[in-house]
Each structure stands twice: as structure tokens, then as C-alpha cells.
């Protein structure tokens, strides 16, 4: 069993930056693919970024490529999402997820955090 707790969300102006963190419990964190997803009101949950267990492979949605960076620290059981050049359309609840054979498919993840709100004002 893995528990995930996100933090770092908030209100930021367009063009600003935020860094999200996801702290995981459990000894097997370092073996999991980790992902970030987001869900805006009235929209489906969408893939943002994912990282392999080793950190060697990263995956990004086209909409965030070049602006967001996913990373992990297995010694701290934490995965991060650095978000730069934020846009109003990035406004959503951001969720951390763990353990999936398919990094971009939210249906394949076994564990989810409670989410953290990110609001980007224009």
C-alpha cells in the first residue's frame, strides 16, 4: 500500500512558477513509475508528466513540454513537478499517482493522492 500527499499548489500570476511535491509512504516507492495528472472543472483528468522508477525516462504532455519538469528523489520518497511560465489554462487540481505500466494512462495507476489546487491568474 502506498499513500501519496501532494503539496505546493497555490495562486500565481501568469508567467510565474510553482513547484509541486508528492511525498510517498512505503518502501517500494523507488520501484514505481510516478505520474502527475490534472483536472480542471468540467473536464476529464489529463496526463501532465511521468517519470520512470530510476528517473532515466520522463514523459510530458505536449501542452507542458518545455515549461514543466518532473523529477524524483528516491531517498526522500518524493516526486516533484517544477512548473514554469504558467498559463491560465494550467489552472486545475493536480494529482500525483504511482505504479503504472503505462505512464500516460490514468486508468493504469494504482495509487492516487488527494490533489492540490493550482490557480493561474491572467
Amino acid at each position: 500500500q502506498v499513500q501519496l500527499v501532494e503539496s505546493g499548489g497555490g495562486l500565481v500570476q501568469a508567467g510565474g512558477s510553482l513547484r509541486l511535491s508528492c511525498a510517498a509512504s512505503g518502501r517500494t516507492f523507488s520501484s514505481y513509475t510516478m505520474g502527475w495528472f490534472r483536472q480542471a472543472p468540467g473536464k476529464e483528468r489529463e496526463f501532465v508528466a511521468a517519470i520512470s522508477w530510476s528517473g532515466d525516462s520522463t514523459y510530458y504532455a505536449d501542452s507542458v513540454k518545455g515549461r514543466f519538469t518532473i523529477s524524483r528523489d528516491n531517498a526522500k520518497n518524493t516526486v516533484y513537478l517544477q512548473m514554469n511560465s504558467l498559463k491560465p489554462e494550467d489552472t486545475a487540481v493536480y494529482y500525483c499517482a504511482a505504479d503504472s505500466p503505462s505512464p500516460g494512462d490514468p486508468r493504469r495507476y494504482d495509487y492516487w493522492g488527494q490533489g492540490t489546487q493550482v490557480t493561474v491568474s491572467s
Side-chain angles (χ1 to χ4, degrees):
Q1 190 74 9
V2 175
Q3 291 186 330
L4 305 173
V5 179
E6 302 98 333
S7 61
L11 173 64
V12 64
Q13 288 188 334
S17 299
L18 282 175
R19 188 194 196 201
L20 304 183
S21 299
C22 173
S25 64
R27 295 177 297 172
T28 54
F29 170 82
S30 60
S31 67
Y32 294 148
T33 291
M34 300 295 296
W36 285 98
F37 293 80
R38 66 188 182 187
Q39 188 165 17
K43 295 187 176 181
E44 292 187 353
R45 191 168 298 189
E46 66 172 357
F47 168 72
V48 176
I51 188 166
S52 64
W53 67 272
S54 64
D56 289 343
S57 297
T58 56
Y59 313 86
Y60 295 96
D62 288 342
S63 59
V64 307
K65 206 170 290 184
R67 300 188 298 123
F68 291 10
T69 302
I70 189 171
S71 62
R72 68 190 297 161
D73 186 338
N74 286 342
K76 295 182 178 180
N77 279 13
T78 302
V79 62
Y80 305 97
L81 185 68
Q82 177 66 44
M83 305 186 296
N84 298 329
S85 302
L86 282 161
K87 305 175 181 180
E89 51 263 45
D90 294 319
T91 295
V93 177
Y94 282 71
Y95 297 91
C96 172
D99 196 14
S100 171
S102 179
D105 187 349
R107 298 168 298 178
R108 305 294 298 276
Y109 280 82
D110 288 335
Y111 306 103
W112 290 86
Q114 82 289 349
T116 185
Q117 176 70 46
V118 171
T119 303
V120 184
S121 62
S122 57

